[in-house]
Amino acid sequence: MTVVAEPKNGGGGGGLKREMGLMSAINVIISVMIGSGIFVSPTAALRYSGSVGFCLVVWTVCGGISLLGALCFAELGTVVPRSGAEYAYLIEAFKKSHSFWGPLPSFICAWVYVMILRPAEIAVIILTFAEYSILPFRHLLGLEYMSAEDLHLLIKLIGILGLGIITYINLSSVKLYVTINNVFGFCKVFACLVVIFGGVYQLAIGNTQNLAGGFEGTTTSPGHIALAFYNGLWAYDGWSSVTTITEEIKNPEVNIPRSIMIAVPIITGLYVFMNLAYMTVLSMGEMIASEAVGIDFGDRALGSFSFLIPLGVALATFGCALSIQFGVTRLCYVASQEDQMLEPLSYIHVRRATPAPAVAMQGALALAFILVGNIEMLIEFASFLIWFFYGAAVVALLALRRNQPNVHRPYKVPLIVPYITLAVSVFLSVVPVISDPSPKYLFAVAFILSGVLVYTPFVYYKVRPRWINKLTFLIQVLFEVVPSSSKLD
């Protein structure tokens, strides 16, 4: 039984609103794809490539491969017009195939993303924001005189404050999120262009010695080549983010493919030329040994404007955390509509049209991960599953083409594209296990099994504890939320 509170002021219950146009969709992709990695640690591809020339080839090809994967999601987003990305596609393709096994893949996808992977990512990203947001003021704040313990506490407190801000933004309204995300998107692209033009200036004054080697030293090891592409492809992760919020995109059958075709090539160009700039100013050895490539680049190439790099990292990470939280709450919303998560997670605020309980839950989970600390290893345990779910979504695309051949497809990729993406997905799921066969990956298996233990009684058999109705009513009163129109139907 659903307890329904009366909407105030004539609002409520209408579901998510389409308030995001093409530019906003582009900025969502940019916000999630450009985090701290390209500023702080873009060196793994260089280390395994063995040469400047081959490294640039790797970054370029990885951008192209990411575009192919994103185009698969563009087709899926126009065929399955629901938020949730991989989750929604797995539900549509397999839910009716078997009463138990059919809905299970989608539940495991939601279980991993909602309960551990996305909130843990948000925690790490917002702590990176906190660390780099104070770097421009390190002398003013006297950070060099603080003990390591006090500095760690300061970063954690700033991180919690940052988490509170992004949670408030996502609770308040989609329009506020769009406005802030657009501003941060433009700012982080500007920060990337600062690095690029810094490198262009160095080339213009004849600083080419670090590039003179070209392809000299290029690795011939198949294992190292695989690891170079593996690390390059991970840097492009986030291209599916716009399909997580499909129900809030205006004219999605047009704007989703267009946003992908615009954003991913832009980011590919930024990444390639940023790496070229880094390699112009820093030698291969210096880049590989650097703990923060962007900071070292700024100190050497930007002079008194070097503060722009940590500022750029802070802007990039804040916008990235904001958009990841925005997206994962929509996954909560859709999973709840499918009765695979607590029902109130699909409830909408009566005036603000935001899934307030889902946002609050994600904020609380991220806060827990910040307080626990040392969660980077936790993300490593589960992050290889991201490309596993990407591959599962591509299988869903192929299944939908076979089972629903007559469905209108506003956008359709050539058949070779899904197979290439599927091969890449298998590659990225297997390489980390083969290259580092650690027992840590058993954690991911254990977490999946724990999901099955939750799925069996509460989703498949629909066991409903007696206290659920009281919790639902409490959430409705506390957050001023009501069921969305689809739930009422």
Side-chain angles (χ1 to χ4, degrees), residues 181-316:
N181 191 56
N182 286 348
V183 171
F184 274 82
F186 286 120
C187 288
K188 66 171 65 179
V189 170
F190 175 76
C192 294
L193 292 175
V194 167
V195 173
I196 291 171
F197 283 111
V200 169
Y201 174 76
Q202 293 295 319
L203 287 172
I205 63 175
N207 186 5
T208 60
Q209 62 270 23
N210 290 333
L211 303 178
F215 287 86
E216 183 180 347
T218 297
T219 182
T220 56
S221 166
H224 282 185
I225 292 172
L227 288 171
F229 279 98
Y230 169 77
N231 286 281
L233 285 165
W234 270 116
Y236 285 96
D237 186 43
W239 41 259
S240 66
S241 51
V242 72
T243 57
T244 309
I245 56 171
T246 299
E247 293 176 51
E248 289 160 285
I249 302 293
K250 298 175 183 176
N251 197 12
E253 64 274 8
V254 173
N255 285 332
I256 286 179
R258 282 183 181 175
S259 64
I260 287 170
M261 292 177 191
I262 294 171
V264 177
I266 286 175
I267 293 169
T268 301
L270 291 174
Y271 279 11
V272 171
F273 285 105
M274 285 179 75
N275 275 278
L276 179 61
Y278 291 148
M279 290 185 285
T280 300
V281 174
L282 304 171
S283 68
M284 281 188 60
E286 289 172 330
M287 279 190 66
I288 292 172
S290 175
E291 294 184 0
V293 172
I295 300 296
D296 291 343
F297 171 88
D299 290 341
R300 187 170 299 184
L302 300 180
S304 58
F305 292 96
S306 60
F307 72 91
L308 290 174
I309 300 300
L311 180 62
V313 175
L315 292 171

Side-chain angles (χ1 to χ4, degrees), residues 34-67:
I34 303 179
S36 63
I38 192 62
F39 294 99
V40 179
S41 55
T43 56
L46 176 62
R47 181 169 64 251
Y48 290 112
S49 297
S51 71
V52 170
F54 187 56
C55 180
L56 293 176
V57 170
V58 167
W59 280 101
T60 304
V61 172
C62 288
I65 292 173
S66 298
L67 179 60

Side-chain angles (χ1 to χ4, degrees), residues 134-145:
I134 60 177
L135 273 184
F137 313 104
R138 57 186 180 274
H139 299 304
L140 181 64
L141 297 175
L143 298 182
E144 59 267 31
Y145 304 112

Side-chain angles (χ1 to χ4, degrees), residues 32 389 471:
V32 177
F389 291 127
L471 176 63

